[in-house]
Each structure stands twice: as structure tokens, then as C-alpha cells.
């Protein structure tokens, strides 16, 4: 019955579920979305998975963008943003296909959004202190770089669970360099986007492997730091041009 | 090393870095690609400020003239970059090929279904046209099947020998 309802009226919030080789998780994650959260629309982005992900999606008849070639997380997410833009959604939330993000928090993110923000980040470290590990060292460095370029504190810049409003969806559609990463957040803040955080709890991934392997982590860090410090902050000059 | 030379080196590498950062920002270069150039120009700047690094490493590696070490270093970095670029170019080409083929097949499939629907809906003399189209496409399918059949045959032959 909820499925019928979903088809008939368009929700104003779209959940983007990027999935690359997520055969172990995708069914659990999307079924959970469909059963518990019929008030939101969702779209799975199958980023040319090499395993059975697309078979499962087809069998379960999930709403899906099937990319013919692998674009990576950024390209896949942008495809979802394009879909949201064309279909006219007002809000977009990213929920990873590995089940790390709990959709229960979408409601509190939406409430925060209604207070007048453009981006709401689901933050793991708003109430809890960061545990000391190699991963959080990276997080702290990015946090400092964001502080330097934007002047604002973002406790959990690398959190993948973010909600964007219509203005940001539009900005994503105009700029090929925008990706669901902290450097884009930095650029958006400098262009007048207001960012808030709400506390969330994230689960450990249950099966499959992450996009961000330890080998890629260092490369990711160098890229983020260079991008935030040297590339993104300049757009401050044309402040307010992209957003608004 | 004279003071003049050091000043010139510093000025040139600083200008290079500024130029690269400026161009990276204004052009619509992808960030992943831009990162290499910014790091590279930063490295040049560091080396122009502390040229002793070159002396130190070339001593360590047993290279007699530091200039030779510098040449080797930059050659090496650029060759690796060239190789990476070539890989990327190849991947891009095959991706583009795949996309074009996919678009062409999708368009044809779409047209075929539209034609089928039209030929079903229309009546009278138009049915003949429709059926003609149908037979044409069926013909094509059969020819394709035959072609793939021979392909398979060849493959089988090869595997047998």
C-alpha cells in the first residue's frame, strides 16, 4: 500500500543512495527505506557495479539510475543531483548504500534545514569527542583547513550524510567540480551557503568494502587539503553569485 | 651559487606557482588533475628556496653534479605523469566508445518499439507498411544472429585447435 502511495504523489525530499558493488547491503538498506520511510522518495545510483548489485535492483524493482560506466562516488552522486534537479525536488539527502547512515535522522536534519540553512550535515562528533585514530587526524586537519578558509567550525566535515536544499542542488548541476566532499562545502560556504550540523550516530559497515581504502586515504587527504586551501577559496570574490 | 641566481630561481618558481594556481582556478580543470600541478609547483618553490636539498640528495645517491640529479628528478616525475595521462586517455577513449555504442543501441531499440506500436495501432493500408518494417527488422535480427553464430563457430574452432 505504501508503495502505491509513493508512486502517486511526489515527495519533496529525495534520498540518493550511491551503490558500487554493494550486493551484500543494498537490499537491506533500500528495503528499510521503502518500509519505514515511505514519505521520502529515493533513487539508487548503480555506479556500474561489477557484482550482483544491479541484478538485485532489477529483481526488487527499485527506483534506480544505472550508470553504464563507472564514474566514482562523485560522478554517481552528481547523476543523482541531476535527477533531483530535473524532477524538481526541494531537498536531497545522501544515504550510502553500505548502510552506515541511518535514515531516522533525516527528520531532524529537515527540521534544522527549516530554520534557514542550505546544507545540514549529519555530524558524528557534535556531542561525542573524536576518537583518536588515523582517520580522525585527517578529519581534524580538514576541519582546520575549513576553519581557515571559511571561518566556520564544522565538526564532522567528512561525514557523507548531508542534506542539501534546492539552491545547492542547482549549484551542483552547474559545476562539474562539485562533489560530495568537504572541499565543495568550503566553496559553497564562501558563496553564501549556510551550513548547520545535527548530531547523528553512524553504524559500521556490515559487508562489502568501502570506496575509501586505506591506500586511498592519503591521496584523499592531499587532494582535500590542496583543494580547500588553494583551489576552492578564491571563489570568495564572486560571493553570492552561485547561491541565491 | 650566486645570490642573483637564487633570486631569479625563486622569482621564476614563485611566478610559476602563482600562474598555475590562477589558471587552475579560472579554467574548469578537474580538481584531481589540478592537485598534481599545485604540488609540483610547490616542490619547485621549495627547491629554489633550499637548493641544498638537491646537493644533499645527489651526494647521498652518489651523483657527481647536482644539476644531473635535478634533471633526473624532473624527467622522472614528468615521465610518470605522462604515463598516467596516457592511461587516463585510453580509459577515456574506451569509455566514450562504450557510451556512444550504448546510446546508438538504445536509440535503435526505442525506435523499434515505437514503430511496433504505430504499426499495431494504425489500420488499413498502413498495416502493410508496418509489417514490412517488422519483416525488415526481423531480417536484420536474423542476419545478426547468423553473424554472431558464425562468430561463435570461429571461437569454437579456435578453442578446439
Amino acid at each position: 500500500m505504501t508503495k502505491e502511495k509513493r508512486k502517486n504523489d511526489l515527495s519533496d525530499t529525495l534520498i540518493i543512495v550511491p551503490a558500487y558493488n554493494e550486493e551484500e547491503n543494498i537490499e537491506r538498506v533500500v528495503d528499510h527505506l521503502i518500509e519505514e520511510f515511505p514519505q521520502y522518495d529515493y533513487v539508487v545510483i548503480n555506479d556500474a557495479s561489477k557484482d550482483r548489485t544491479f541484478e538485485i535492483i532489477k529483481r526488487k524493482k527499485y527506483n534506480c539510475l544505472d550508470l553504464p560506466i563507472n564514474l566514482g562516488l562523485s560522478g554517481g552522486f552528481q547523476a543523482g543531483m541531476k535527477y533531483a534537479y530535473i524532477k524538481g525536488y526541494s531537498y536531497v539527502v545522501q544515504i550510502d548504500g553500505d548502510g552506515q547512515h541511518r535514515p531516522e535522522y533525516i527528520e531532524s536534519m529537515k527540521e534544522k534545514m527549516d530554520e534557514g540553512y542550505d546544507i545540514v550535515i549529519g555530524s558524528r562528533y557534535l556531542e561525542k569527542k573524536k576518537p583518536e585514530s588515523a582517520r580522525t587526524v585527517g578529519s581534524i586537519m580538514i576541519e582546520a583547513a575549513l576553519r581557515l578558509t571559511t571561518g566556520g567550525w564544522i565538526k564532522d566535515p567528512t561525514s557523507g550524510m548531508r542534506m542539501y536544499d534546492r539552491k545547492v542542488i542547482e549549484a551542483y548541476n552547474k559545476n562539474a567540480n562539485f562533489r560530495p566532499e568537504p572541499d565543495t562545502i568550503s566553496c559553497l560556504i564562501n558563496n553564501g551557503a549556510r551550513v548547520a550540523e545535527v548530531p547523528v550516530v553512524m553504524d559500521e559497515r556490515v559487508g562489502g568494502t568501502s570506496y575509501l581504502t586505506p591506500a586511498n586515504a592519503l591521496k584523499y587527504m592531499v587532494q582535500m587539503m590542496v583543494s580547500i586551501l588553494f583551489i576552492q577559496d578564491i571563489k570568495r570574490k564572486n560571493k553570492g553569485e552561485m547561491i541565491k | 651559487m650566486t645570490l642573483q641566481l637564487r633570486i631569479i630561481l625563486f622569482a621564476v618558481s614563485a611566478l610559476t606557482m602563482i600562474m598555475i594556481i590562477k589558471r587552475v582556478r579560472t579554467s574548469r580543470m578537474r580538481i584531481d588533475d589540478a592537485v598534481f600541478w599545485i604540488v609540483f609547483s610547490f616542490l619547485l618553490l621549495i627547491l629554489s628556496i633550499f637548493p641544498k636539498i638537491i646537493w644533499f640528495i645527489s651526494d647521498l645517491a652518489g651523483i657527481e653534479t647536482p644539476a644531473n640529479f635535478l634533471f633526473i628528478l624532473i624527467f622522472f616525475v614528468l615521465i610518470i605523469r605522462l604515463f598516467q595521462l596516457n592511461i587516463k586517455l585510453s580509459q577515456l577513449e574506451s569509455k566514450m566508445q562504450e557510451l556512444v555504442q550504448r546510446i546508438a543501441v538504445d536509440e535503435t531499440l526505442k525506435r523499434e518499439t515505437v514503430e511496433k506500436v504505430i504499426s499495431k495501432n494504425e489500420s488499413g493500408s498502413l498495416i502493410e507498411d508496418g509489417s514490412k518494417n517488422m519483416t525488415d527488422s526481423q531480417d536484420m535480427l536474423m542476419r545478426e544472429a547468423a553473424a554472431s553464430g558464425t562468430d561463435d563457430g570461429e571461437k569454437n574452432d579456435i578453442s578446439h585447435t
Side-chain angles (χ1 to χ4, degrees):
Chain A
M1 202 187 90
T2 47
K3 264 186 190 171
E4 292 304 311
K5 196 183 162 218
R6 174 189 288 280
K7 270 175 197 163
N8 290 337
D9 46 50
L10 196 74
S11 162
D12 64 345
T13 306
L14 178 75
I15 301 173
I16 295 180
V17 188
Y20 176 65
N21 294 348
E22 294 286 5
E23 59 180 8
E24 293 169 51
N25 300 309
I26 193 72
E27 199 166 352
R28 178 170 48 84
V29 171
V30 181
D31 277 348
H32 183 59
L33 281 181
I34 292 173
E35 279 155 26
E36 307 289 327
F37 303 93
Q39 68 269 39
Y40 309 120
D41 287 353
Y42 73 94
V43 61
V44 182
I45 316 288
N46 176 39
D47 192 9
S49 296
K50 292 186 185 101
D51 63 358
R52 288 172 42 249
T53 306
F54 190 57
E55 272 175 50
I56 295 167
I57 290 170
K58 261 204 298 202
R59 177 163 51 82
K60 302 282 284 188
K61 294 198 172 67
Y62 294 148
N63 186 26
C64 171
L65 287 184
D66 180 36
L67 305 184
I69 54 177
N70 183 271
L71 292 183
L73 179 58
S74 311
F77 180 73
Q78 274 179 356
M81 280 302 219
K82 200 148 273 170
Y83 178 82
Y85 179 68
I86 291 170
K87 287 199 85 172
Y89 286 98
S90 314
Y91 304 99
V92 158
V93 192
Q94 181 186 346
I95 297 279
D96 281 353
D98 57 13
Q100 279 188 74
H101 304 150
R102 297 187 190 164
E104 290 93 298
Y105 294 109
I106 295 176
E107 208 178 320
S108 64
M109 290 169 88
K110 181 79 179 293
E111 275 165 18
K112 195 79 189 172
M113 199 112 202
D114 290 339
E115 288 172 23
Y117 292 100
D118 302 305
I119 302 171
V120 175
I121 301 173
S123 175
R124 284 162 290 186
Y125 310 123
L126 213 54
E127 289 168 342
K128 231 171 50 173
K129 266 189 98 180
K130 292 185 191 188
E132 280 171 24
S133 72
R135 221 185 170 136
T136 47
V137 168
S139 173
I140 289 165
M141 278 172 73
I142 292 175
E143 193 185 316
L146 279 178
R147 169 80 186 157
L148 205 68
T149 54
T150 67
W153 285 114
I154 293 175
K155 282 282 166 204
D156 193 1
T158 53
S159 162
M161 192 179 185
R162 303 196 187 93
M163 183 180 255
Y164 306 90
D165 74 351
R166 184 74 193 164
K167 280 181 276 184
V168 182
I169 297 172
E170 268 182 56
Y172 262 89
N173 270 274
K174 284 179 196 150
N175 194 327
N177 254 339
F178 276 15
R179 44 190 186 174
E181 302 292 358
D183 58 338
T184 302
I185 302 286
S186 147
C187 180
L188 284 167
I189 292 174
N190 286 328
N191 283 288
R194 278 149 304 171
V195 180
E197 286 182 288
V198 294
V200 301
V201 173
M202 282 189 200
D203 299 316
E204 291 295 311
R205 101 180 346 260
V206 178
T209 47
S210 164
Y211 259 114
L212 200 66
T213 57
N216 282 334
L218 188 73
K219 202 178 148 197
Y220 173 85
M221 275 306 299
V222 172
Q223 266 199 21
M224 279 305 134
M225 296 306 283
V226 170
S227 178
I228 292 172
L229 293 176
F230 294 102
I231 305 176
Q232 296 291 7
D233 69 308
I234 27 81
K235 281 157 189 157
R236 203 176 298 176
K237 279 175 206 154
N238 24 338
K239 195 168 186 169
E241 203 177 73
M242 209 168 332
I243 293 281
K244 258 182 188 178
Chain B
M1 222 177 181
T2 61
L3 186 67
Q4 282 139 296
L5 183 60
R6 288 189 64 174
I7 290 172
I8 290 171
L9 280 180
F10 174 74
V12 168
S13 47
L15 280 176
T16 311
M17 189 167 173
I18 291 168
M19 192 268 287
I20 285 178
I21 290 177
K22 257 197 160 154
R23 287 289 293 150
V24 157
R25 284 165 169 179
T26 51
S27 69
R28 294 185 147 240
M29 197 172 185
R30 289 177 68 90
I31 288 162
D32 316 32
D33 300 321
V35 167
F36 166 80
W37 289 106
I38 289 174
V39 171
F40 186 68
S41 61
F42 189 69
L43 201 84
L44 281 187
L45 193 70
I46 294 287
L47 287 180
S48 73
I49 300 171
F50 307 105
K52 282 281 184 294
I53 297 172
I54 296 288
W55 262 264
F56 176 73
I57 301 176
S58 59
D59 270 356
L60 218 67
I63 297 167
E64 274 178 30
T65 43
N68 279 346
F69 171 69
L70 196 66
F71 285 139
I72 290 172
L73 181 76
I74 292 185
F75 254 60
F76 184 68
V77 171
L78 290 184
I79 284 175
I80 294 291
R81 188 66 192 159
L82 181 68
F83 181 62
Q84 285 177 336
L85 277 179
N86 209 337
I87 289 177
K88 216 164 197 180
L89 185 70
S90 297
Q91 285 174 341
L92 267 182
E93 219 150 279
S94 55
K95 277 182 181 177
M96 191 199 68
Q97 209 173 337
E98 209 177 312
L99 279 179
V100 169
Q101 289 161 353
R102 178 124 176 192
I103 289 172
V105 171
D106 281 356
E107 289 290 314
T108 310
L109 288 179
K110 223 193 291 171
R111 212 166 40 232
E112 276 173 10
T113 47
V114 167
E115 275 167 10
K116 264 183 208 169
V117 170
I118 288 172
S119 64
K120 264 185 195 167
N121 286 347
E122 288 184 351
S123 55
S125 60
L126 283 171
I127 284 178
E128 274 174 33
D129 284 350
S131 60
K132 205 180 170 191
N133 277 343
M134 288 281 278
T135 49
D136 274 351
S137 61
Q138 274 171 351
D139 231 8
M140 204 181 73
L141 279 176
M142 274 169 73
R143 242 178 283 145
E144 260 177 24
S148 63
T150 52
D151 272 351
D152 284 346
E154 276 167 22
K155 270 177 207 155
N156 284 341
D157 282 348
I158 289 164
S159 61
H160 279 305
T161 50

